[in-house]
Amino acid sequence: MGFLNPLMLMVGAGLVGLPILLHLIMQQKPREYPFPALRFVQERLSTNQRRLRVRHWMLLFLRCLAIVLLALAFAMPSAATNQFGTWLTLGLLASVALVSLLILVATLVLTRPWNRILLASQSVILTALIISMVSVYASFVSPSAVVKPGMDQTPVSAVVLVDTSPRMLYELAREDEQGTVQSESRLSQATGLADWLIRQLPDDSDVAVMDASGREPFFSVDVASAAKRLSSLAVNFDSLSLVENLEMAVEFLDSQREENLKPLEIYVFTDLTRESWKSRRQKQLQLRLAEVEDLSVYLVDVSVEDPVNYQMDDLELSSECISVGGQVNLSVRVLRHGPAGERPIHLYLDKLQPGKPFRQDGKTVFPDEKLVRMAAVSFGEDGVQQVGMTVKDLPVGIHHGVVRLEGADSLVLDNERFFTIQVRPPRPVLLVGPENEDAAYRNVEVVLAPDELVESGEAAFDVTNRVQSRLLDEKLSDYSSVFLLDPGPLSSVEWSSLKKFVEAGGGLAVALGENAKSGFSIDSSFLGEEAREVLGVEIGEAWTPPEAYLTVSDYSHPVFQPYKRFETDDVWRDFPVYQHWGLEPGSGTEVLARFSTRQPAVTSKKLGEGTVVCVATPLSEPGQVKGRKRWNDLTTGQWWPTALLIDEVAKYLVAAGNNRLNYRVGENVILRDEKQKTSEFLMYPPRNEEPSELVDEKGELRFRFTETVGNYRIKGIGAPLARKGFSVNSPREQTNLESVDESLLEACLGKGRYKLARNREEILREQSFVRQGKKFFPLLITLFGVILLMELILSNRFYRGLS
């Protein structure tokens, strides 16, 4: 039996002494006045005083009993089980009935002649108490009763929710009874406690086992099947917040209310980390719990005090796709939670073994790993270190790798970051310039394909030059991107061809200049619907500011990220712009850079699967201009800012046609290759599982079951050299061990809406306070009223005088 407000018991104990104190204080010792003639009167008075003394003690007892019952009522007592609560109810009713019977007998003895009203009222009260006792007992033993005599507890409908987020793999070394030190994960401890819990639930209880995957709960057939479900739980890398899972559990139990009247309970086994409770649906869960008032929520804490961990942040790659001779820079932040320490960090790549992976004896044989880079990292207490590595000199093809933090750790899951990169032959780029103006594309060519890199085979781009009049003679699909350098008027057929090329995944850069003029304004071919749709801008008049230059305010875009280390417009001040076209961005067009006049200078737009970049001034001005005014000095002197801009635009346009190769858990994978010759592939997941068959559909391979971190390797059926692949990582937040605070729990569940336990004893204790058994407040208040009524009747009758 438990009390919600045990302080009221102490208050009641103090108040019980009040009527006793008043009784003793008001009791006066009679004075003696000898008067022999009144001897017989004294004998009569003595008899009446004895009767009055008995009546006083009876009233004192009733008043003390009333105070005790009132204090007990406001102490909010409750029984842990319905059976025990029913017997306590019968005991209380029997006790008050016995008091009523004794008072009835005392009334018969002490009141002469008998007062009919007093006897009738006492008899009615006694009869009502006896009828109440019979009714309670009859309902208790009736066939329709939920609880029968001999049962320990009321059957319940319970949902056991186990947090299966990656954080639950945190291991803690423990010493068993034999003195052997063993490591146990939080998930193992949680499932062990949950298994014990479902086995001690009352007979005929309904149990549903949930993990954090967001799957709909269902009641298990019996305890054995629920225990089997618990034993099969594994970490879910794409787990939902406990808020969403709890909301599902509440809805499930509430929907079962019509089928049975069993008490509703939810048990959440979790390490109480903050990330598990982050959700936009916190308020909705709190309101839903407030609606289902008879639902009990228990949080079972399996966390570790002051966890210690090494943790790798998300891996950053300078590029997922490079040309032969290029390099990829990898950067990762490593965090230390705990005391100072040192760890080696290694970078591994798959060895080139054409036959692997393959299945043998029910297992997947993966390619061997090759150590290509290594470093030692030292940490201070709760320290952070940035680690950078470079991968280069890779042959053409798909390459899988992993950056691994070596050494023992309590949570090894976040000590690895997987990656996939692709090495391609030089990407074909078409430069389209005006008639008889070789310089128009020469400035761009020397940036994209320097002569020395072309001769050594290390150039990232394979550049082809064409004059504009031959644009329609080219098969644009053979190129990854096209540069229109200071283009002249374009026909609708040419705009249509460019649009089709971009929508299919190609990249287009248009640098407008002198040749776009017709008289003193823009040629009408640039104002048509097709031109606006391709460029993403409305072209206005040509601006001729006294002196302007490029400015960049946001360095987050890939084109201007390399300029971030400068973070100043001074790099462009030495390269003035004298003329530029006025651009009015359309819907979906992003302004990447502006002139110092605040007019748009560089814009970008997605069109289908490709990208269009538009520049409002030429990137190909010759060193000497005859017969017209210069548009800018972007390619004069030491023009490295413009060279960097040309190179980054080319990489950006090429990347738009590349496949994304690195994903987070839960994301859908799409690999495009319209030129692939093989239509059927086998995909080998990171774990030792059967490979999945992927079929090419219109130049695409799709896969959506990215629930496991690691490298996914794909090879063609019957064509082992046709290789593809991608990598999947979990976000760093999935292994964030920061503890949740009480305010966040209250925001999710409501203040006082849950009970917290850490072991078996605490679970049983919290059950005894919360589980629906018997609550005695209504009964005790009723009995208090009965006792008060009895005291009122007796006091009114006893003090009318001596009879």
Side-chain angles (χ1 to χ4, degrees), residues 13-25:
L15 291 178
V16 166
L18 185 60
I20 299 175
L21 181 63
L22 292 175
H23 174 78
L24 295 176
I25 292 175

Side-chain angles (χ1 to χ4, degrees), residues 535-612:
L535 298 175
V537 296
E538 182 83 26
I539 304 176
E541 62 182 10
W543 285 61
T544 56
E547 185 173 314
Y549 54 90
L550 267 68
T551 63
V552 181
S553 58
D554 184 5
Y555 294 92
S556 62
H557 194 275
V559 170
F560 287 99
Q561 274 184 353
Y563 296 89
K564 182 175 176 58
R565 61 180 180 270
F566 306 110
E567 291 187 349
T568 174
D569 294 332
D570 289 341
V571 297
W572 296 104
R573 285 184 180 273
D574 295 333
F575 306 95
V577 175
Y578 308 112
Q579 295 185 76
H580 66 82
W581 289 105
L583 305 181
E584 183 65 32
S587 176
T589 300
E590 181 182 5
V591 177
L592 307 185
R594 295 181 180 272
F595 295 111
S596 55
T597 59
R598 306 309 302 158
Q599 290 292 314
V602 183
T603 64
S604 174
K605 176 191 176 180
K606 290 289 183 181
L607 181 61
E609 300 295 332
T611 305
V612 178

Side-chain angles (χ1 to χ4, degrees), residues 717-758:
I717 297 178
L721 296 181
R723 293 180 173 271
K724 301 179 182 298
F726 58 92
S727 294
V728 174
N729 288 288
S730 61
R732 182 176 70 88
E733 294 77 17
Q734 287 278 21
T735 54
N736 187 355
L737 300 176
E738 180 185 359
S739 299
V740 69
D741 52 34
E742 186 177 356
S743 61
L744 180 55
L745 288 178
E746 291 181 354
C748 298
L749 305 176
K751 189 172 184 179
R753 191 63 183 83
Y754 63 92
K755 295 294 181 180
L756 184 63
R758 294 177 177 82

Side-chain angles (χ1 to χ4, degrees), residues 506-525:
L508 174 64
V510 181
L512 299 169
E514 181 72 21
N515 292 313
K517 284 183 177 181
S518 178
F520 295 99
S521 60
I522 191 73
D523 187 82
S524 60
S525 66

